[in-house]
Amino acid sequence: MVIIGKRKRLITVMAGHDAGSQHQFTGFQKYFNSFTITGRRNYVLATYGSIAMLILYFKLRPKKQPPAVTQK
């Protein structure tokens, strides 16, 4: 309950995501945050990209070659 002057006003807030307020992010948080759909999408894309890069790295790295056999 908020008291403004002589009037009383009841302010209700729904539980969960605070969709009513505008968030002003700067820097890293502007692109990666959990409040906006775009921020959540960027987290997902970064995660999928990281997993794909790990798979490609281990799949395409050069294989270890056995040492050459020399005759005595």
Side-chain angles (χ1 to χ4, degrees):
M1 183 177 299
V2 177
I3 299 174
I4 301 174
K6 295 181 181 180
R7 295 187 225 163
K8 293 182 182 178
R9 189 189 320 174
L10 181 63
I11 298 176
T12 59
V13 178
M14 292 180 61
H17 180 66
D18 186 16
S21 65
Q22 294 294 324
H23 300 283
Q24 298 296 323
F25 295 113
T26 58
F28 184 78
Q29 289 181 341
K30 184 176 181 180
Y31 303 105
F32 295 95
N33 62 67
S34 63
F35 292 100
T36 63
I37 298 297
T38 305
R40 291 181 206 162
R41 185 200 65 198
N42 288 338
Y43 266 117
V44 169
L45 292 176
T47 302
Y48 286 165
S50 300
I51 293 170
M53 292 301 290
L54 282 172
I55 291 171
L56 286 173
Y57 171 75
F58 285 110
K59 191 170 187 130
L60 297 176
R61 71 179 174 174
K63 306 293 182 209
K64 293 182 181 177
Q65 295 180 357
V69 177
T70 59
Q71 296 199 10
K72 295 182 179 181

